[in-house]
Structures are given as structure tokens and as C-alpha cells.
Amino acid sequence: MVEVRLEGVSKRFGRVVAVDNVSIVFEDGRFTVLLGPSGSGKSTILYLVAGVYKPSSGRIFFGDRDVTNLPPKERNVGLVFQNYALYPHMTVYENIAFPLRLRGEDEAAIDRKVHEVARLLHIEELLDRRPGQLSGGQQQRVALARALVKEPDVLLLDEPLSNLDALLRLTIRGELKKLQQKLGITAIHVTHDQAEAMSMADKIVVIDRGRVQQEGPPLEVYERPRNLFVATFIGSPPANTLPATVEHRDGYPLIRVAGSLYRPGERHAAKIREAGLDRVVVAFRPEHARLAEHPPEGEDLAFEAEVYLVEPLGRENIVTLEAAGMPVKVVTPPEERPSGRLYVVVPRERVLLFEPETGLSLDHL
Amino acid sequence: MALRLRLRRGGPAGEAAGADVETLERRRLNLVLGLAVGLGLAPVLYLYLLLVLSSFSNTMLTSLPLPGSGVELTLRNWEMLFRGQVAPAAGKIYTTRDIVLIILNTLVVALGVTAVVVAASVMAGYAFSRLRFRWRRGLMEFIILLHAFPGVALIIAVYAVYVWSLGPVRELLGRDSLAAYSVFYTVLARASLEIPMSIWLMKGFFDRIPWEVEWSALIDGASRFTVWRRILLPQVKPGIAALAIFAFLAGWEDLIYVRVFLYPQVKTLATFIEESVAGLETAYLPVVAAAGTLYLIPTIVFFIATQRLLLEAMSGGVKG
Ligand SMILES: Nc1ncnc2c1ncn2[C@@H]1O[C@H](COP(=O)(O)OP(=O)(O)OP(=O)(O)O)[C@@H](O)[C@H]1O
Ligand SMILES: [Mg+2]
């Protein structure tokens, strides 16, 4: 339908900088997820795209059209608010018909379109009710129907699933994605639920404190986090981080982490030398590590740790260990019940190294 | 009012949830409070009861009419009231008063006050709730201050303005229009006493509507005015109803402003009753009692019909 582009957009509320010099391309017909913690500026970005807020600086484009100063109604976007924002004094039918009424479409066309979108979202039998008489999941569908009925170029979704129970959320997640693909709408979906982001997104944009931390396909963001924030924000449980010091042996940097020495690969070693680092942060994902009785052969990262807690989750166990006073989480198969002192082993290709001052990954330095 | 309502609700609901410890406690508390309020109100209610009964008796009652006391129940007072035979001069000669006209006058004042108050406070309430402008905070506090001033304290200044305005009005519109002008001025002056509180009430109602609902309508393609009319106004209807009722009753019941500003020929129920009672020795009081009862009817009707609504308005509407 249309590509949405933010170019150096900032939004200030008095002293608060909610969005700080953000440039993002939301590709045409793709499903982009804005992911970030509470207060990071996700909703503000959506409202900027919708035209509810005007940027303090920067420009917003829909394709070639500069919409920075256009009012919401000239942008043809559909927005599903976090709290649905249905019109409580109107029936579901009237709620959905409202945007069409304002366009002055004739009654027959309105009736046809309302029923069409209601069928699509399985809310036909709710059309006569008022929003107050609906469950959260039903209200969400109505809000979605109202956003879709005007056939928007851009669909904006502000945590529309956050008020639903876990099961319903899974169902609607799938439906929403299918619907978006079917209609080919450019979708921007806001969430702070990283599982939701991973499962729905064509592209994830991680936001923190009003800035873009990383953008890319979900797997890339997951496996190659650009900085410590992304590494520790995404994943459940998130990546382990251990502070480490750099020791030089015969001019080659070795990393001392939790009492053990780890020999980084050539590429990382070069970066460490280049930046003259004497400290780094070692990180790895809990599911990438395994537990072993004995120190492994070869050059994988391995250090000793004491089992502290085992949480069986059915499909897997989450084992919390203590290594040199720091907690480390490892995901193990359900039949494994580790105890005592063990070795945490992380394959070399799974070890992530970060610069401690800026938090940037050495791969991105 | 709050207590009466809760008591009434507490009854059957409390029984249904009999096992709930907290409910039992509440019920007992309600009972005690109810008794206390009942005792406090008893004398007042007793007087109102006497007033209403008197309007159906051949004599002014000072105690409940016991059998054998010679009191007859009759509709004659009401007949006399509506025939206009209400202000007896000495003896049995009645100065006739057109009671229907008086009721109409009262209605004009009451509805006028209602219209002015509703129009002003719905718009001002919206502005205070939704728009950010200079001095917003200060103006709001100033309005509360205005509300704190008793109407009587202002009356001299308001009267001075009235007198000043009479001259130009006579010049412009002619002498005959002065009676109408007095009604107009009374309505405005009386309404202005109600407006500060009503603005706060309305602001509270607008505040309760989430911004998102308004934005949603803007994105759906509505103009600001359409949003106000089709999305916001319907949602603050209970608030409008509540303050309309308050304003209506204020206009209907008002004595002081009506007495001071209205042309003496233009009577409302309040000034009419005052006038009738003024000649206490000669007045035929049961007819005055009927007039008093008539005067009370809107209050009683509105409060019974809209208790729930008013309560909601008072508890939900007024918020910072
Ligand atoms: N209208 C406003 N006035 C002042 N500050 C605001 C306003 N809207 C947002 N902010 C501030 O801007 C920052 C970003 O807010 P925003 O609502 O975009 O966060 P979010 O990422 O959507 O958070 P959440 O996940 O909790 O919805 C916050 O610090 C917030 O306090
Ligand atoms: Mg938000």
C-alpha cells in the first residue's frame, strides 16, 4: 500500500524527550514490530505516524508524500488503541460504521462493508451490542474492525493484545498476521512482549528511551544483538551477562570470566586490541549453554558454577547457577536435574562480547 | 441523599450476600447511620408533612390531624389557588392572582437559568478539560473562589450594574421592554451563581473520557467540532442532565434575586408565597400551603426521579 518513513523525528513533551532523533523505514506491506519497555516511546511513535502528535523536529513520509503537517484524517491510517477507545454510546455496528459515515458513503455501501469486516473478524453476532457488554477480546476485534473497515494504507496497532488472556492472545496473534498478509497492509505493531514480536514480525525495531537500539529480522535481532540492552531485553529468560577482564598473553588478548580463561576468536581479539579494551562484558543466551561434569576439550567458553535453583517448566528446565557471585541461567532438557558444582559450557560461536562503556557489541563496533 | 440511597440498596442486597462478613458489618453501619439521619431529619420532615396536609385541610395544621379534632380534608384550597382567589384582603374579598401566569413566570426564570448554565458550562467545561491555554490553572482556581462567594454578598454590585444598565436599555428598547429586560437580567444574574460549580462538574465529566476516544474519532476523519458533538457530548449526557436539574431548581426556588431584580408585577411562586405570607394576619394560610406544596413539587419529583444520576454526578463528576 504505502511505505512509511520517519526521518530524524523527535518528539518532546516539555522537558521529556519521548522520541529522540528516530529514523525508521516501515516497508510497504510488511509487518513491523516496535518493541521496547514501558515508557520507551513506542506509543508516541505510532501517534506521530497517525498524526495525533506533530513531531518537534524531523519529517514523516508516506511513500513520496510528506505528511509531517497533515492532520490525521488526511493520512488514511487505522489505529487500534491499547485501551481500544471504542465509542461507548454507540453499538458495535455504529462504531464500525462511524468512519464510513464521516466519509459520507451511502447506507447500502456502509451496511455491506460493516458486515464484510464483521464476518472477517467473527463479530457478526455482536453488532447490536454496546462496547460495555463485550469481553476484552471482543472489544479488541471491534476496534480492529473499525480500523480495517476504512481500508487504511497503514494499520497501527498499539499493544492490542495486552489485555487478553494468554490463550486468546496466541490465537489472535496468528489471525492478525494472516489478515495483514491477506490485505497486504503496511502494519506497525507496538508491543513490549518480545515473544509476540518474534512470532509476528517481518522486522523488529527495538526502542529504548526514545531511540532505536536495533532493527532487523527477528532472528538477527535475537542472535546478534547490537548492544547489551537488546541482549538483555529480548529472550526469556534474557541473555546472561558477566563482567570480565582482558589479560594479554604473548600479545593475544585472553578473557578472564568467572575465574576461567577464555580465548576469543581472531575477529574479536582484533577488535579488543584495536579498541584497547581491558574490560569486556561476556554474554550468552541461556538455551545456548549446556552443563557438564568436567571441563570440555577445545576452546569453548567454560566456567565453574554452583547450582542454585532448578525450575521445571515441563518442556524444559531453567537452572539458575552461581558463578563467582553472579547468577547465570541455563536452559536444560526436562529430564536433566543438575545439582552441585558443574561447568557451564558455551560454544564459541554463541559467545557475545560487548564493550562495557557503551554496551555496544564488538561485532558492531 | 447518599445515605438514603445506600440504605435502600443495602436492604435486599445485604440479605442476598448474608454470609459475607464485610457486608454484614456494612449493613449494621448503614442501619446506625440511617437511624441517626432519620432522627435528625424527623422534625423537618414533620413540618413538610404538615405543609402538604394543610393544603388539603380547612385550617392550617400545627399538629397531625387526629380524628375528632374537627379538621376536614378538602380540595377547596387547590381549587381556590387555581381560580386565583389566593390573596384575601381583609374580610372575604379576594385580590385575584393569575396563578397559571405565576407558574409560567417561574418556569421562564427556571428554564432560562437552565439554558444559560448548560450552554456556558458545557462549553467552558470542555475547554478546561481538553484545551491547554495560558492561565488555565489560575482561571480554574478563580472559578472555585467565585463559587465560594455567597450570592447575597454580590447582590449590591449586581444591583448597581442592573441600575446602570436600565438607562441605556430604556433608551434603546423603550420603556415597555423593561419588564422583559428584568426577566432577562434576573436569569443571567441567577445563572452566573450556578455556573462556576457547573463548569467544574462538566470538566470532571469530560475528564473521564479518555483522550484516545477523541483521537480515534479524529483518525476516523472527524473534525474537532464533530468529535465534540458526536463523541463527547453523548458521553457527558448524565452530567448535562444533572447540572440542568440543579440549575432548574435553583431558578425555580430562587427568592432573593427574583425579589430584587424582577419587576414587581412579574411574580414567581417564591415571591408570590412571600407576598401572601407577608399579610400573615389576613392570609388564608391553607391556600398558601397549597402554593407552597406546588412550589415544592419539582424538587421532590426531580430528586426522586434522578437520585441515582445526581449521586453519580456528585461523586464521579467533580475531580481535579
Ligand atoms: N502527552 C504527554 N505528555 C508528557 N509526557 C508524555 C506524553 N506522552 C508520553 N509522554 C512521555 O513520553 C515517554 C514515552 O511515552 P510512550 O507512551 O510513548 O511510551 P510507551 O513506549 O508507549 O510505553 P508503554 O509500553 O507503557 O505504553 C514517557 O516517558 C512518557 O512519560
Ligand atoms: Mg504505549
Side-chain angles (χ1 to χ4, degrees), chain A residues 13 16 18 37-44 53 82 159 192:
Chain A
F13 297 104
V16 184
S38 190
S40 55
K42 308 180 296 293
S43 298
T44 307
Y53 290 157
Q82 191 166 351
E159 310 197 29
H192 54 234

Side-chain angles (χ1 to χ4, degrees), chain A residues 47 50 52-53 72-73 77 79 81 83 85-90 98-99 101-102 146 150, chain B residues 210-223 226-227 229-232 234-235:
Chain A
Y47 294 158
V52 172
Y53 290 157
K73 66 169 162 183
V77 301
L79 202 163
F81 288 88
N83 59 6
L86 298 175
Y87 312 128
H89 57 291
M90 297 182 190
F98 188 70
R101 289 254 146 80
L102 290 175
R146 187 179 62 185
K150 52 184 166 179
Chain B
W211 273 103
E212 283 86 349
V213 173
E214 208 171 329
W215 289 339
S216 183
L218 284 177
I219 292 169
D220 282 348
S223 66
T226 308
V227 173
R229 200 172 57 83
R230 289 183 54 183
I231 303 295
L232 298 181
Q235 291 187 62

Side-chain angles (χ1 to χ4, degrees), chain B residues 161-187 258 260-266:
Chain B
V161 174
Y162 179 55
V163 172
W164 284 332
S165 67
L166 280 179
V169 169
R170 191 169 9 190
E171 293 275 297
L172 280 173
L173 303 174
R175 181 168 273 285
D176 299 338
S177 63
L178 283 183
Y181 176 69
S182 81
V183 174
F184 173 74
Y185 194 87
T186 310
V187 164
V258 165
V260 172
F261 296 115
L262 268 194
Y263 255 45
Q265 306 91 293
V266 187

Side-chain angles (χ1 to χ4, degrees), chain A residues 6-323:
Chain A
L6 305 190
E7 291 185 358
V9 170
S10 297
K11 178 66 185 174
R12 284 179 287 276
F13 297 104
R15 291 251 173 91
V16 184
V17 183
V19 173
D20 188 3
N21 192 18
V22 160
S23 301
I24 312 174
V25 178
F26 299 99
E27 283 153 45
D28 187 0
R30 295 324 237 3
F31 199 104
T32 308
V33 171
L34 287 179
L35 177 64
S38 190
S40 55
K42 308 180 296 293
S43 298
T44 307
I45 292 177
L46 276 202
Y47 294 158
L48 285 165
V49 173
V52 172
Y53 290 157
K54 290 236 152 62
S56 309
S57 60
R59 309 220 67 86
I60 301 172
F61 294 89
F62 281 15
D64 298 330
R65 205 156 63 109
D66 184 344
V67 299
T68 313
N69 291 313
L70 290 188
K73 66 169 162 183
E74 284 169 44
R75 301 190 182 197
N76 196 25
V77 301
L79 202 163
V80 177
F81 288 88
Q82 191 166 351
N83 59 6
Y84 312 138
L86 298 175
Y87 312 128
H89 57 291
M90 297 182 190
T91 61
V92 167
Y93 183 97
E94 284 305 320
N95 263 279
I96 300 174
F98 188 70
L100 303 179
R101 289 254 146 80
L102 290 175
R103 281 187 195 168
E105 298 199 15
D106 66 87
E107 210 50 45
I110 291 177
D111 198 59
R112 185 174 48 75
K113 286 183 184 176
V114 170
H115 279 100
E116 209 170 283
V117 75
R119 197 167 325 118
L120 193 67
L121 291 161
H122 310 291
I123 50 171
E124 283 167 293
E125 65 286 7
L126 307 177
L127 287 177
D128 294 330
R129 296 210 213 156
R130 277 171 201 269
Q133 303 163 314
L134 302 180
S135 75
Q138 291 168 331
Q139 291 188 31
Q140 193 259 324
R141 282 154 189 259
V142 174
L144 197 55
R146 187 179 62 185
L148 287 173
V149 79
K150 52 184 166 179
E151 293 155 36
D153 296 328
V154 183
L155 181 62
L156 307 169
L157 305 154
D158 194 355
E159 310 197 29
L161 310 184
S162 60
N163 291 348
L164 309 183
D165 67 63
L167 206 62
L168 193 56
R169 195 180 314 180
L170 283 183
T171 324
I172 295 194
R173 223 195 246 174
E175 286 178 25
L176 203 55
K177 184 69 199 282
K178 246 190 291 169
L179 197 65
Q180 180 267 339
Q181 280 171 343
K182 193 165 111 193
L183 303 175
I185 306 179
T186 308
I188 308 178
H189 178 107
V190 158
T191 179
H192 54 234
D193 176 342
Q194 42 99 11
E196 194 175 301
M198 296 295 296
S199 72
M200 297 178 86
D202 295 320
K203 174 165 115 177
I204 289 185
V205 180
V206 183
I207 311 273
D208 185 39
R209 279 175 282 154
R211 298 220 178 110
V212 175
Q213 304 295 323
Q214 184 168 10
E215 56 185 298
L219 264 187
E220 184 188 308
V221 172
Y222 186 79
E223 297 193 335
R224 293 167 46 78
R226 206 175 82 90
N227 59 27
L228 273 173
F229 172 81
V230 178
T232 52
F233 183 69
I234 296 184
S236 151
N240 295 295
T241 58
L242 296 166
T245 52
V246 177
E247 298 174 6
H248 292 273
R249 293 273 167 84
D250 310 327
Y252 197 87
L254 299 183
I255 295 169
R256 184 166 290 284
V257 52
S260 303
L261 268 185
Y262 167 69
R263 186 185 159 86
E266 285 294 343
R267 207 162 38 86
H268 281 161
K271 291 271 182 172
I272 290 173
R273 265 188 304 233
E274 216 173 277
L277 296 177
D278 53 3
R279 287 181 302 121
V280 292
V281 175
V282 174
F284 59 90
R285 298 221 167 262
E287 66 275 22
H288 291 156
R290 64 187 165 83
L291 298 175
E293 300 270 345
H294 305 288
E297 304 288 317
E299 300 210 295
D300 288 346
L301 168 65
F303 55 88
E304 242 186 315
E306 175 100 31
V307 175
Y308 177 73
L309 177 70
V310 180
E311 296 166 78
L313 296 183
R315 194 177 38 180
E316 62 198 23
N317 293 341
I318 295 180
V319 183
T320 308
L321 307 98
E322 195 197 308

